[in-house]
Every structure is written in structure tokens, then in C-alpha cells.
Amino acid sequence: MNTPLPPAEELALIDRELAQLDARRLYLLGRRDWLLRLLHQPGSAPAPVRWGPAAPTGSAKEASAPSAQNVLLTLGAVLLAVAALAFTLVSWGSMGIAGRSAVLAAVTAAALGAPVLLLRRGLRSTAESVAAVGLLLTVLDAYALYAVGMPDLDGTGYAAGAAAVLAAVWAGYGSGLRKLRIPLPAAVLAAQFPLPLAALAVQPGPLQLGWALLATAVLDAALALRVRWAAAVAAVAASGALLIGVAQSWSAGSAAAGVAPAALLLAGAALGVAAAWREPRASAAALVGALAAVAGLGGVVRPGLDPAWAALVHLLLALPLLAAVRDSALPAAVRRGLARAGAAVVALVAVAAASAVVPTLMARLRVLGEVWAATTPGRDPYGPGAAVPLALLISAGAAWWLSRALSRPEPAVVAVVLGWAGLFSAAALSGLPVAAVFAAQLAVTGAAGVLALRSPARGIRIAAGVCALAGAANVSLGALDGRTATFAVWGLLGAGCAAGAAYGPAPRPVRSSAAVGAVGYATGVLVAVGAVSDLAVVWWALPVLAVPALAAALGPRLGGVRLPVEIAAAVAGLLALGLSAGRAGTLALVLALAGVVCAGAAVRPDRRVLGWAAGALFAAATWVRLAEAGVTAPEAYTLPVTVPALVVGLLRRRRDPQASSWAAYGPGLAATLLPSLLAAWGDPGWLRPLLLGAAALAVTLAGAQRRLQAPLLLGGAVLAAVALHELAPYVVQVAGALPRWVPPALAGLLLLAVGATYERRLRDARRLRAAIGRLR
């Protein structure tokens, strides 16, 4: 790429050559456009073309020549049509019979003959517009003939005959002038009216109109074998017929009245299947036809059945359609359409059945209004009956079969949900005694739990787990209606959850959920025990504390579910504290017992952190007891604890200089500083805040001197809180004396100052954090 020219000169040379190439390209494109116009318009003179480089235009054309031509021709045709219509409706009566006929005949003949000459000269667009006007004139001719020559004839019957004649004339005209695109589609459109209008003229009625539309659709489908766009017209006509059939079938009051609409729907179904058999891309026709067949056959038996049983009949009629999935003898379009129609009916019936079951299951919420009232009936009087669970079970079987036939996991997941819903609701709607209902629902819930534990498919495992949780929640809610039911149902569910948590091969999330359920049911049973004992609510906390105690005792034996069990047990411990909060003495006892549980768990090396919780619970129990005794000077009880604790911390630091100051001095300092701070905030005197502030200052200085984190932060925090307590009245007084605009202004100035020195303040904060982190 080395050249004798300097880079700047070579770049200028390249730019000039590129400009010349662009100019040559524009010239060739202009020449090409002129040649194309010359070839497509042999009867017109060629447009002059300037030989040379084409000059760039200043602005692009907003409309091309063909589009502008089409707009003008369309407007011209519309204006001519309006003029012809006005002439026919307004000026017709001022002329005689001969004049009328001559004018219409001449104008129509001229409009239909002109396209022949226009096509010879290559003016196809103009010929299309004039032909459209001519077709409209033939319609006006037919109207004029009826208005003048045949006014006594039936209008509907005449319109049917006129539409047939116009369709034939337009079809012949379009066949003679094949270059025109309007006549043949117009003939097909006109052919849609003769049969429906004739049916209405002979015997008015919706079914007659439906049959006429279906016959028209058959003719359109036959035409679609040669002209593809006729399929859309056939679909519209067939849809109208099927809609009429469905409406008549739905409004039939008896089985006999439903036979005629069923025949119409079955004929439409045959047409749809035949179309899909002939056309590989017409699977939608087979789908609609299969749905029409199900609706027609089901409509015959529907008037004599309840809605739930009628839906079940439709479901049974749709099941054979699913077998098309494996029928290799059927064309692919027919196979897909029939199978999808069957699946659609199954899905609709399943959704309807599920929506009917939900209110029955939600009715158990009424138990919460009065627990242990023994008012749950064996059968819900407002339930939908046995047809609904039967429909759910049949739908589940169909979904499972589809999963096997298609080798897809999604239908299997749906089958699990529908099967659980059917079995669970069947027990509640079958009229069995309450005990039998609970037994059946517990069995179904347990089966769902076993499937969640043992199924290798992830989707089925999740679906079964959700069903098991829903079933357990519903049956647990219903069991609250009686004491025996509560203990029996909750005990069995808790035992089942415990067994699931102990099943090693199951996935850990499933086992963890089962373990949490076991802890929850154990807690519920213990609360029920307290309720049965007729003790005060505050004493119910004592049996509830057995749950966290058992979790702490088992410890490592719980294996992979240890953490969720301990978390659930901690929630049970909080429930115990809440139950005992109504009486100070009981609360102190429960706090102390909870501290014992935490201390016992903290013995294990991996649970040392619970030692802090044990200390906090013991301290809280002590202070609750002291508050109940009316103690106002907590220092008399805290200082005897603080001094030995600090001595022990000092000895520990001497043995292990790397020990944290929080572990060595934190408990001892907090034992006195924090209770004294709480007492100082409620003390209106000045002596306690002064002594506490002096002690906090001494602790802070000692921490800063010895570079210890716990004394520095604890002492500084207590000192700041005491100072805020002492300054609060003055701050309130000053704030009340200042104008109202001063505090917002001061806040704004503070924000501006902080924002202006943000980066420096951030560096200072980082240094402070690093300095505190280096302390022990």
C-alpha cells in the first residue's frame, strides 16, 4: 500500500474518485427507471431522459406515481357511483319507460365495455376503476327492474334471484377479462346471498338460515380448492351457521328441540374435518368442527340435566377426540385439530369444576367464627354435587394420558393438581359423616405428600407439594370445629410431616418444608392442650416451650433439616413469650426457661452465638421480676454483677490478649449501663443522670486509652443518650421560641454543608470505621 503521494493528497484523490463513482451510479439508476417505464407502457411515449449524471433532488417525493394514480382512479370511480345512485333514486321518475331503459342499458354497456379498450392500451388501473363502476350499475339495474317492472314480487325472493344472476354475470365477465381483479371476487361475494335470502323467503327461521349458510360454505370450500382466497369466505359463512346452531342448541328446552340444531352442528363439523383433510394448513377447521360436534351432541342431553352433569357429558364426548393424537392414519391437520379440540373441552370443564369446588372448600373459614363449636355438616347443602369431583378426576386421567402420549411433563403436572382436587373435594361432597370426610381428606393429603417426596420429576414434585400444603391447611382449618378432630387431625398431620422430614432420599427443600410443618403442628397441639386444661392463657406458654427445648436437645441429629427446625422452634418460643405477656411473673418465668434452652443449645460449638441470646433472656427475666417487685434503683442489683464480670473479663484478657473486648467486658458493662440508662430517662431528678454520665465518661476514656472497642462504644453511646436527655427540655424550649422558618432553614444549611464536603466526610467516616475496627 505504499504510494509516492503524501497521505493528504492521496486521501483527496480517493474522495474525488468516490464522488465520480456515486455520480455514475445515480446515472445508471435513472437510466434503469426510464427503461422499465418504457417496457411497461408500450403505447405511451417515452419520457425524456437527460443523458448524463443524474442531479440529486432537493426533496423526496411524498407519493409515488402508481399510488397517486390509484387514488385518483378510486376517487373517480366513487364519484361516478354516487352520480349513478343519485340518478337512479332522484331523477328516475322524470323519464319514461323507454328512456329509463335506454339510459341504464347504454351506461351499463359503456361501463362494462370500456375496460376492454383500456386493457388493450395497457391502462389496467383505469380499467379496474371503470369495471367497478360497471358492476355497481348492474346492481342499480336490478333494483330499477324490481322497482318499475316487478313491484308486487316478494322483495327477499327477488333479492335472492338477483344476487344469483349478478353472481353469474360477474363471474362470466371476470372470466372473459382475466386481467381484471375485481369481477371474480365480487362474484364470489354476491354468491353468498342467494341461498340465505332464498331460505328466508321460503321459510323464515334461524335454522333455515343456518342450513343455507352452511350450504353456501360448502360451495365456497369447493371453490377454495382452485382459488385459495375463497377459504376465508367459506370460513365466514360456516362460522355464521355454527353460531346459529350453538345459539339454538343452547336455547332448546327439550331433547327433541335440540336434535335439529345438533344436526346442523354435526354437518358443520363434517365440513370442517373435510376441509382439514384436504388442506394441510387447515387444522383450525378441524378444531372448530370437533367443538361443534361436541356442542351439538351435548346439546341434545343438556336440557334434562343439571349444569354440572351437562358439563360432565360434554367432557365424556370430548375424550375420544384425544385419541387422535396417536392415530397415524389421520392427516396431520385433522389429528392436530381433533386433539386440540378435545384438550380445549377438557380444560374448560376442569376450570368450571375447579371454580365450583373452591367455594365449598372456602366454606370452612366459617369455623374461625367459633372454634370447637361442632357445627360442621357432613355435606355442604350448597355444594355442586358429585358431578364436579367426577369431572375433575376424568380430566386428570385425560391429562395423564396426554402426558404419556406426547411424552411431555406439563400435562402430568396438571393431572396431579386435578386429581388431588377431585379426590379431596369428593370426600366433602359425597354425604359421608364428618369423621369419614376427615379420614379421606387426610389420606389424599398424605398421598400428595408421598408423591412430593418420591417423585423423580421436579414439576410433579412441586405440584404435589403445593397440593399437600393446601390440603393440610384446609383439613386443619376444618378440624378446629371439634376438640377431638383438632387433636386427631393435627396429630396425624404432624406425624406425617415428621416422617417426611426423616425421609432421606427426598430433596432437601421438601424435607425442610415437612420439618417446619411438623414443628408447627406440634406447637398447635400443645396450644390446644393448654386450651383444654382450662388454665389461663399465660400458662399455655409452658407447654409451648417444650418445642424449642426438644429442637435444642435433638440438635445435630436433625441432619439437613436442623436449621429450618431451629428457626421454626424459635418462632414457637416467640409465641410462648407472647402468650405469657399478660402477667409479669409468668413472663419472667418463661424468659428464664427460654434462656435455659438457649444456654443448653449454646454448649455445642456451632451454636455459641445462642449464648448471647441466653444472657439477654436471663437479664430480661431478672428485670421483669424486679419491675414486678417495684424496684426503682437497679444499680443495687446490677453493680454486684458488673464488678465480678469485669474482673473475669480482665483475667481472660490477660490469658488471651487476642480476645475481643465485647466478649470480655461487654456483658459486665451492659449489665449496669443499659438498665441505669432506662431508669435515668424516666427519672426527673439530676443525681442519677449526673452519676451515670460520669461513669459513662470514665468508661469511654478508659476504652480510648486502652484501645478497646466495647468500652469506647458502650460508654460513648450511654454518654450521648444522657446528654440528649439532659438537653431535651432546653432544645424543646428553644425550638418553641424560634420562628417556624428557622428549623427548616438550619436543616437546609446543614444539608448544603454536608453536601459540599461530602467526599471529605466520607473519607473521615471510613477512617473512623477503620480505627474502630482496629480496636479489640
Side-chain angles (χ1 to χ4, degrees):
M1 298 298 292
N2 294 327
T3 59
L5 295 177
E9 295 181 7
E10 184 180 0
L11 181 60
L13 178 61
I14 291 174
D15 291 338
R16 286 195 298 271
E17 291 180 356
L18 289 175
Q20 292 176 2
L21 290 174
D22 290 339
R24 181 63 178 172
R25 183 174 181 275
L26 292 174
Y27 159 73
L28 292 176
L29 289 175
R31 179 67 177 174
R32 180 179 181 275
D33 292 340
W34 178 78
L35 291 174
L36 289 175
R37 289 196 300 270
L38 186 64
L39 291 174
H40 287 86
Q41 297 181 3
S44 60
V49 178
R50 182 171 61 90
W51 296 93
T57 57
S59 61
K61 295 182 180 180
E62 295 183 357
S64 62
S67 61
Q69 178 188 16
N70 292 335
V71 171
L72 293 176
L73 292 176
T74 303
L75 289 176
V78 171
L79 293 176
L80 287 176
V82 171
L85 185 62
F87 169 78
T88 303
L89 297 177
V90 178
S91 302
W92 185 260
S94 62
M95 302 180 64
I97 298 296
R100 300 171 187 174
S101 302
V103 169
L104 276 179
V107 173
T108 303
L112 294 177
V116 178
L117 300 176
L118 294 173
L119 288 175
R120 290 178 181 177
R121 296 184 59 85
L123 302 177
R124 181 175 175 179
S125 299
T126 306
E128 293 278 5
S129 301
V130 177
V133 175
L135 298 181
L136 177 61
L137 287 175
T138 58
V139 178
L140 297 178
D141 288 340
Y143 167 74
L145 180 62
Y146 171 75
V148 175
M150 308 174 186
D152 297 331
L153 292 179
D154 179 60
T156 306
Y158 178 82
V165 172
L166 288 176
V169 171
W170 291 354
Y173 182 71
S175 299
L177 300 176
R178 293 187 175 276
K179 292 185 178 181
L180 296 179
R181 292 174 294 181
I182 293 179
L184 288 179
V188 174
L189 182 62
Q192 307 306 306
F193 299 97
L195 291 179
L197 292 176
L200 293 178
V202 174
Q203 188 177 359
L207 282 178
Q208 288 73 20
L209 178 60
W211 281 108
L213 287 173
L214 187 61
T216 303
V218 172
L219 297 177
D220 294 334
L223 179 61
L225 296 177
R226 301 187 61 183
V227 182
R228 188 175 299 274
W229 52 262
V233 183
V236 173
S239 300
L242 294 179
L243 288 176
I244 292 174
V246 171
Q248 293 299 306
S249 177
W250 185 260
S251 61
S254 63
V259 172
L264 176 60
L265 291 173
L266 290 176
L271 176 61
V273 174
W277 203 292
R278 178 63 177 80
E279 175 57 47
R281 293 179 293 180
S283 61
L287 186 149
V288 175
L291 292 177
V294 172
L297 295 176
V300 175
V301 298
R302 182 196 56 80
L305 298 175
D306 292 334
W309 287 104
L312 181 60
V313 169
H314 285 79
L315 174 62
L316 295 176
L317 291 172
L319 290 180
L321 299 176
L322 297 176
V325 172
R326 288 190 170 182
D327 193 348
S328 58
L330 295 176
V334 178
R335 188 165 61 248
R336 289 195 302 268
L338 296 181
R340 290 172 180 173
V345 174
V346 171
L348 289 175
V349 174
V351 170
S355 63
V357 166
V358 169
T360 303
L361 299 180
M362 295 298 292
R364 282 180 166 171
L365 290 173
R366 293 175 295 187
V367 176
L368 296 177
E370 189 175 0
V371 179
W372 290 355
T375 58
T376 300
R379 177 191 172 103
D380 192 339
Y382 304 102
V388 169
L390 188 58
L392 288 171
L393 293 176
I394 294 175
S395 301
W400 188 264
W401 184 86
L402 274 180
S403 175
R404 297 297 182 182
L406 300 176
S407 299
R408 296 291 300 269
E410 294 84 0
V413 174
V414 176
V416 170
V417 176
L418 294 178
W420 169 84
L423 293 174
F424 195 86
S425 61
L429 301 175
S430 58
L432 297 176
V434 177
V437 172
F438 281 137
Q441 291 182 341
L442 284 173
V444 174
T445 302
V450 171
L451 185 61
L453 290 170
R454 307 192 64 174
S455 175
R458 183 173 180 269
I460 294 178
R461 189 167 61 244
I462 294 175
V466 173
C467 291
L469 290 176
N474 190 266
V475 74
S476 300
L477 187 64
L480 288 174
D481 196 54
R483 296 187 178 186
T484 304
T486 299
F487 285 102
V489 171
W490 287 21
L492 289 174
L493 288 174
C497 290
Y503 185 67
R508 178 171 292 183
V510 178
R511 295 178 56 213
S512 299
S513 301
V516 172
V519 174
Y521 280 114
T523 304
V525 169
L526 292 174
V527 172
V529 169
V532 171
S533 64
D534 293 331
L535 295 175
V537 176
V538 294
W539 293 108
W540 297 3
L542 295 179
V544 173
L545 276 179
V547 174
L550 181 61
L554 294 177
R557 298 181 182 178
L558 297 174
V561 298
R562 180 182 181 184
L563 182 60
V565 166
E566 290 178 345
I567 294 175
V571 174
L574 293 177
L575 175 63
L577 294 179
L579 291 174
S580 63
R583 185 180 299 171
T586 309
L587 177 60
L589 176 61
V590 172
L591 286 170
L593 293 176
V596 172
V597 172
C598 291
V603 174
R604 297 188 175 94
D606 54 348
R607 293 295 184 266
R608 295 295 190 193
V609 69
L610 292 178
W612 292 92
L617 290 171
F618 285 137
T622 302
W623 288 111
V624 168
R625 180 67 67 183
L626 293 176
E628 183 186 18
V631 174
T632 58
E635 293 81 5
Y637 300 91
T638 59
L639 286 175
V641 176
T642 297
V643 173
L646 293 178
V647 172
V648 171
L650 180 62
L651 295 176
R652 181 180 179 183
R653 287 274 297 172
R654 287 183 178 179
R655 290 184 183 179
D656 182 13
Q658 301 299 324
S660 171
S661 61
W662 288 101
Y665 305 117
L669 293 174
T672 295
L673 291 178
L674 297 182
S676 298
L677 179 61
L678 294 177
W681 270 81
D683 191 351
W686 58 272
L687 181 59
R688 175 180 277 115
L690 177 61
L691 296 176
L692 179 60
L697 178 61
V699 170
T700 303
L701 294 176
Q705 181 182 6
R706 301 297 299 271
R707 302 178 61 83
L708 298 176
Q709 191 178 103
L712 177 63
L713 294 182
L714 280 175
V718 172
L719 182 60
V722 171
L724 180 61
H725 174 265
E726 295 302 312
L727 291 176
Y730 302 100
V731 173
V732 173
Q733 182 178 2
V734 171
L738 291 176
R740 293 188 177 182
W741 59 269
V742 173
L746 293 176
L749 291 175
L750 177 62
L751 292 177
L752 289 176
V754 172
T757 59
Y758 176 76
E759 293 184 359
R760 189 176 64 184
R761 303 301 179 194
L762 188 59
R763 288 194 300 268
D764 295 342
R766 289 173 179 171
R767 294 194 189 100
L768 178 61
R769 184 182 64 181
I772 293 177
R774 288 192 295 269
L775 300 179
R776 292 291 180 183

